[in-house]
Amino acid sequence: MPQRRTAPHYAAGRKIRPLSKNRRRRPNGRHSSVRNVPLRTHWLLLTTLVLTLSTALLLQGYTQHLFDSTPDGAPRERGPGTAVPAGVSSGGPVIEGTAGRTATPAARTIALTFDDGPDPVWTPKILDVLRRNDVPATFFTVGTRVAENPGLARRIVDEGHQIGLHSFTHTDLGTASAWRRSLELRETQLVIAGATGVTTPLLRPPYSSTNKALGDADWSAVVQAGQEGYLTVLTTLDSQDWRRPGVEQIIAGATPKDAAGQIVLLHDAGGDRTQTVAALEQLVPRLKASGWKFVTVGDAVALPEVVQPAGTADRWHGLALITAIRTSDWIIEALSWLLWAAGAISLLRAVAVFVAARRHVRMRRRPWGAPVTEPVSVIVPAYNESAGIEAAVRSLVASDHQVEVIVVDDGSTDGTADIVEALRLPGVRVIRQQNAGKPAALNTGIAAAYCNLLVMVDGDTVFEPDAVRMIVQPFAQRRVGAVSGNAKVVNRGGLLGRWQHIEYVVGFNLDRRLFDLAECMPTVPGAVGAFRREALLRVGGVSDTTLAEDTDLTMALCRDGWRVVYEERAKAWTEAPASLGALWKQRYRWCYGTLQAMWKHRGALTQRGQAGKLGRRGLGYLLLFQVLLPLLAPVVDVFAIYGLVFLDPLRIVGLWTAFLLLQVLMGLYAFRLDGERPGPLWSLPLQQFVYRQLMYLVVIQSVFTAVAGSRLRWQRMDRYGSLKVPVTASEAPLSDRLSVPGAPSAPEPWAAPAASPYDGYDADPAWASHPPEPVPYSSQDHIWPSQGHRDL
């Protein structure tokens, strides 16, 4: 068949002007200001963000979920006290653990001590009572609560009270390991230094009481604290206010029975302290009237200069720790809201997709209109497709619809064009061109095609015999400008193949049903798609300004007023990547190209008609579910690990199981709609631990690449030769080749028309009566691809 001269290219009735010679061009012939930079910094940033999040979660888990909230007086097992020196057991309540020395308050002096604060509600009320009565006290503070309320800690010191340590998370130091004890004391000292500017040697271990109650484990903690420079302060009187026994009972418990000096235990946090505040109002005046002197712990045992100014390093470290703790609180709160929102949106999406799929099934039971029988031009762009090109071409020739097949060899180096020519199949043409990229190859095929209906197919795709006939039937409706077919994975034997098979059936095809129903289809896949010639010409053909030329083209058609639909009966089989590396490259290109197309067509958000449906429905859906939610996926995984460690593991596993069950139910429904066996769905749980992480990492890298303004080159996928070569029309009758009984008879061999119907763009007369709704669309968005070199 003679080669046809390429006709001039038109868009929206205008010839596309070539690029000016004096404009700066890249090596592949196109001008651009996009930067070529190494894609490394975004991984460093991502790692930093994940580490920051992990640190925040660890800090939050340690400070909040390892916090021991058991009441001070709750029953606890006490071990033997044989290691406790007798002088300590019978000595004073202030202990220097290293030397085993104790100190006793002076007679008729009383030190009021308050544990577990500072609390934003009760500590200020207690401070007010003490100020009105001009009474100093000692506050043994919990490190995490100092970090949450640094202003209250400063007020304690500023109003002349002493401050001490009550551990960082209110943990039992007697049962804690040595390293945990040191961490608890050091972190508490730092936050006190950061909040108040002072350091203190005073320590009251949580759950401690009198000297006689010390066990061996408790004594070990006292000795270690002494070695680290702390004085342990126990009590002589327990007000029992933690029990909330009533105001009079608290007063009785805190009132001395003789003239010996006392250290009284009270609480300014840990629950409702109304009774404690009321008891103080009465206790202090009574004891003052009885001749008791109120002092701090340091003054009670005559300790010189107990509280000292903090060093500059300790103060800054403390401020940093306070900032980290408070920031982690904000992060966790924000993440909690985001995760709830993401869960709700995901559930709503599942419901919406399910409802849309059911409605789409009912809608597709109605015919498109009168059968479409006119011949079709099938364009196969090919670059080094020797592994599968024969199977692809033979499947097209075996179609039960009249087709011409145009294989555009884009500078292959593996003999792809030679393979096709050696087949000598009727109705098959080969056009050779220098390597210029897939969009340029498609445009070459469009210009050379004889028919008004065009099907575009990748060189690694095999069509079922009725696929061409099925995919062109929607063109019975004049508003339809493009049709998406049903791409299926052929190499689904391995685990990676199964996961991609599930993704194609459950993700891609269910979404396409929703997009079809909402009239906002964003992508006609390159593996199996059909187009009207005039629709392609109106938008300037296939653009090479993005890496997702199929998405870019589909969005351009929607913005030009055309309807894009999904025909699930048009099935084609394509090779999926067989390795994680190949899958990464493919999905990275897809995702990055989709982001480019979304940005390029962002103007659809403010347009009306078909363009507005794409913008407000399609682009909004893509942004929410293919960009924002995947960006949250690492947070979900890190948060799940956090939940397993610090929260209720059964609850976390239950939520994960519920999410997985939802996916299985959607998978079963999608497989049923597509006529697939549900066997591969057994691998869904495993998919959550490998495949999903790979997909969200692809999205993250694509977003960082787009934000950085880096340029991603075309990356060709490896072919594996897993496509089977069908029997050709010349080797067997068509009825033997079709898998359905009663198949139509074989079409006549393709014959080119005597005169080409394409010599530029002339509007179809039918166009005037049923045109799609025109919308503003800048010609600058349609830059005709140049023929410079670029890898496919």
Side-chain angles (χ1 to χ4, degrees):
M1 182 178 294
Q3 292 287 333
R4 184 173 176 214
R5 188 175 61 183
T6 301
H9 308 308
Y10 290 81
R14 300 184 302 275
K15 183 182 289 187
I16 303 300
R17 295 182 179 180
L19 294 171
S20 172
K21 293 182 180 180
N22 58 4
R23 296 177 73 178
R24 187 174 180 180
R25 304 167 71 94
R26 296 201 306 270
N28 65 354
R30 288 170 294 140
H31 67 284
S32 175
S33 60
V34 181
R35 294 179 293 148
N36 274 297
V37 297
L39 302 178
R40 299 191 185 99
T41 55
H42 65 283
W43 285 120
L44 177 61
L45 179 59
L46 175 61
T47 302
T48 302
L49 290 175
V50 172
L51 289 176
T52 301
L53 175 61
S54 301
T55 302
L57 289 173
L58 286 173
L59 188 57
Q60 181 76 4
Y62 182 77
T63 58
Q64 300 297 326
H65 300 292
L66 292 184
F67 191 98
D68 193 343
S69 57
T70 306
D72 285 345
R76 298 171 63 247
E77 292 185 5
R78 288 289 182 182
T82 56
V84 182
V88 171
S89 297
S90 60
V94 180
I95 305 171
E96 200 283 306
T98 305
R101 296 178 297 179
T102 67
T104 303
R108 306 215 43 102
T109 62
I110 186 168
L112 299 178
T113 63
F114 297 89
D115 288 5
D116 297 350
D119 182 273
V121 175
W122 304 110
T123 302
K125 294 181 178 182
I126 290 173
L127 288 172
D128 291 341
V129 174
L130 297 175
R131 185 179 67 248
R132 286 194 298 268
N133 290 276
D134 193 25
V135 169
T138 303
F139 289 79
F140 290 99
T141 56
V142 177
T144 56
R145 288 181 171 156
V146 172
E148 293 169 357
N149 307 284
L152 286 177
R154 284 194 296 272
R155 181 181 171 183
I156 289 171
V157 174
D158 292 343
E159 293 188 2
H161 305 290
Q162 276 185 348
I163 195 167
L165 282 68
H166 199 46
S167 82
F168 195 68
T169 61
H170 200 264
T171 190
D172 187 345
L173 297 179
T175 60
S177 60
W179 69 267
R180 175 88 183 268
R181 294 170 184 166
S182 295
L183 179 65
E184 291 277 329
L185 300 183
R186 176 59 178 165
E187 299 305 291
T188 309
Q189 188 73 271
L190 283 177
V191 294
I192 289 176
T196 66
V198 301
T199 59
T200 175
L202 301 179
L203 164 68
R204 172 168 290 161
Y207 307 109
S208 61
S209 57
T210 63
N211 296 52
K212 294 180 179 180
L214 285 174
D216 292 344
D218 301 319
W219 176 244
S220 173
V222 171
V223 171
Q224 182 176 344
Q227 293 171 346
E228 296 181 13
Y230 294 97
L231 296 173
T232 300
V233 180
L234 303 181
T235 60
T236 59
L237 285 178
D238 186 354
S239 69
Q240 299 284 310
D241 65 337
W242 59 272
R243 294 182 183 273
R244 301 184 186 88
V247 174
E248 291 301 326
Q249 289 292 330
I250 294 174
I251 294 174
T255 301
K257 303 300 186 290
D258 52 34
Q262 304 292 334
I263 295 181
V264 180
L265 173 62
L266 295 150
H267 295 82
D268 64 331
D272 187 344
R273 297 304 174 202
T274 304
Q275 295 180 7
T276 302
V277 175
L280 275 178
E281 294 277 15
Q282 301 178 42
L283 175 67
V284 172
R286 288 184 189 181
L287 293 180
K288 275 189 172 183
S290 300
W292 285 87
K293 180 180 180 182
F294 288 90
V295 294
T296 62
V297 168
D299 291 338
V301 295
L303 292 175
E305 300 295 331
V306 175
V307 176
Q308 297 289 331
T312 302
D314 284 347
R315 185 164 187 178
W316 280 106
H317 287 166
L319 289 172
L321 182 56
I322 291 172
T323 301
I325 293 173
R326 302 188 74 178
T327 301
S328 71
D329 292 339
W330 297 334
I331 290 174
I332 296 303
E333 184 174 0
L335 287 181
S336 298
W337 283 105
L338 286 175
L339 290 176
W340 277 111
I345 292 173
S346 298
L347 182 60
L348 289 175
R349 173 182 177 267
V351 173
V353 168
F354 176 76
V355 172
R358 288 182 60 85
R359 292 188 59 186
H360 188 269
V361 169
R362 291 195 298 267
M363 183 176 67
R364 283 295 168 262
R365 290 171 183 168
R366 300 190 298 268
W368 291 101
V372 176
T373 59
E374 62 180 284
V376 175
S377 295
V378 183
I379 302 169
V380 187
Y383 176 72
N384 289 348
E385 299 283 1
S386 60
I389 193 64
E390 180 179 355
V393 172
R394 285 187 181 276
S395 73
L396 295 170
V397 173
S399 296
D400 63 3
H401 195 93
Q402 192 174 24
V403 298
E404 69 158 338
V405 179
I406 304 171
V407 178
V408 182
D409 184 80
D410 190 49
S412 298
T413 59
D414 65 347
T416 297
D418 297 334
I419 293 174
V420 179
E421 289 176 340
L423 296 176
R424 300 183 181 278
L425 296 174
V428 178
R429 285 188 286 157
V430 176
I431 299 176
R432 299 174 185 257
Q433 67 177 33
Q434 292 183 348
N435 179 242
K438 184 178 180 180
L442 288 171
N443 286 322
T444 298
I446 294 170
Y450 286 106
C451 302
N452 289 321
L453 299 182
L454 310 178
V455 171
M456 298 181 187
V457 53
D458 288 340
D460 64 336
T461 304
V462 166
F463 269 37
E464 291 197 355
D466 63 348
V468 174
R469 174 167 55 85
M470 289 296 182
I471 203 171
V472 298
Q473 295 311 306
F475 291 121
Q477 297 184 8
R478 192 67 184 88
R479 291 182 59 238
V480 174
V483 183
S484 168
N486 187 350
K488 290 183 167 294
V489 174
V490 65
N491 52 331
R492 57 178 73 169
L495 194 58
L496 188 60
R498 287 191 184 95
W499 289 340
Q500 293 177 83
H501 170 45
I502 293 172
E503 184 182 26
Y504 271 66
V505 175
V506 180
F508 298 162
N509 289 338
L510 277 185
D511 278 349
R512 287 195 182 103
R513 293 176 188 272
L514 176 63
F515 290 139
D516 190 0
L517 201 65
E519 299 188 23
C520 60
M521 185 78 68
T523 303
V524 172
V528 50
F531 304 86
R532 288 189 191 272
R533 172 194 293 277
E534 61 184 310
L536 293 175
L537 295 178
R538 281 172 58 92
V539 299
V542 184
S543 171
D544 68 348
T545 57
T546 73
L547 291 182
E549 82 291 334
D550 48 4
T551 300
D552 187 4
L553 175 60
T554 307
M555 291 182 178
L557 292 172
C558 289
R559 293 185 67 187
D560 197 43
W562 293 97
R563 175 87 187 278
V564 181
V565 300
Y566 174 51
E567 177 50 81
E568 68 273 12
R569 295 173 297 179
K571 298 177 181 179
W573 299 84
T574 186
E575 276 191 327
S579 67
L580 288 176
L583 178 64
W584 174 277
K585 291 180 181 179
Q586 182 198 66
R587 298 308 172 86
Y588 183 24
R589 178 173 62 82
W590 285 5
C591 185
Y592 182 76
T594 299
L595 291 174
Q596 289 178 310
M598 291 171 64
W599 180 254
K600 176 180 177 181
H601 297 285
R602 64 192 183 278
L605 290 168
T606 59
Q607 290 180 300
R608 298 180 180 179
Q610 196 65 46
K613 293 177 182 178
L614 169 71
R616 290 180 288 279
R617 299 176 187 176
L619 295 187
Y621 187 93
L622 293 178
L623 179 64
L624 186 60
F625 293 109
Q626 295 193 18
V627 178
L628 296 182
L629 281 183
L631 288 177
L632 284 176
V635 176
V636 174
D637 289 345
V638 173
F639 206 86
I641 297 173
Y642 167 81
L644 291 173
V645 175
F646 295 109
L647 303 178
D648 183 1
L650 293 179
R651 182 183 177 190
I652 299 300
V653 173
L655 290 173
W656 183 83
T657 303
F659 175 73
L660 180 62
L661 180 60
L662 178 63
Q663 288 188 305
V664 170
L665 293 175
M666 288 185 63
L668 289 171
Y669 184 62
F671 271 58
R672 179 185 174 187
L673 290 181
D674 255 29
E676 295 282 355
R677 296 179 179 178
L681 292 175
W682 70 263
S683 62
L684 261 180
L686 297 176
Q687 191 184 45
Q688 306 304 308
F689 297 103
V690 179
Y691 193 81
R692 191 172 66 87
Q693 281 74 13
L694 181 68
M695 292 301 101
Y696 72 57
L697 287 176
V698 165
V699 174
I700 290 171
Q701 178 163 354
S702 300
V703 170
F704 275 108
T705 304
V707 172
S710 304
R711 180 70 180 179
L712 181 65
R713 295 172 60 87
W714 277 94
Q715 297 166 329
R716 178 185 173 274
M717 193 184 83
D718 294 333
R719 307 304 186 198
Y720 313 104
S722 56
L723 299 172
K724 296 182 180 180
V725 181
V727 181
T728 64
S730 60
E731 296 170 346
L734 181 61
S735 58
D736 293 343
R737 290 183 275 112
L738 297 179
S739 58
V740 295
S745 58
E748 294 294 329
W750 169 260
S756 169
Y758 175 54
D759 291 311
Y761 173 61
D762 295 321
D764 190 325
W767 173 259
S769 58
H770 300 287
E773 300 176 9
V775 292
Y777 192 54
S778 172
S779 61
Q780 294 179 356
D781 291 339
H782 313 304
I783 301 176
W784 192 263
S786 62
Q787 302 299 314
H789 174 80
R790 187 178 68 182
D791 294 334
L792 184 64

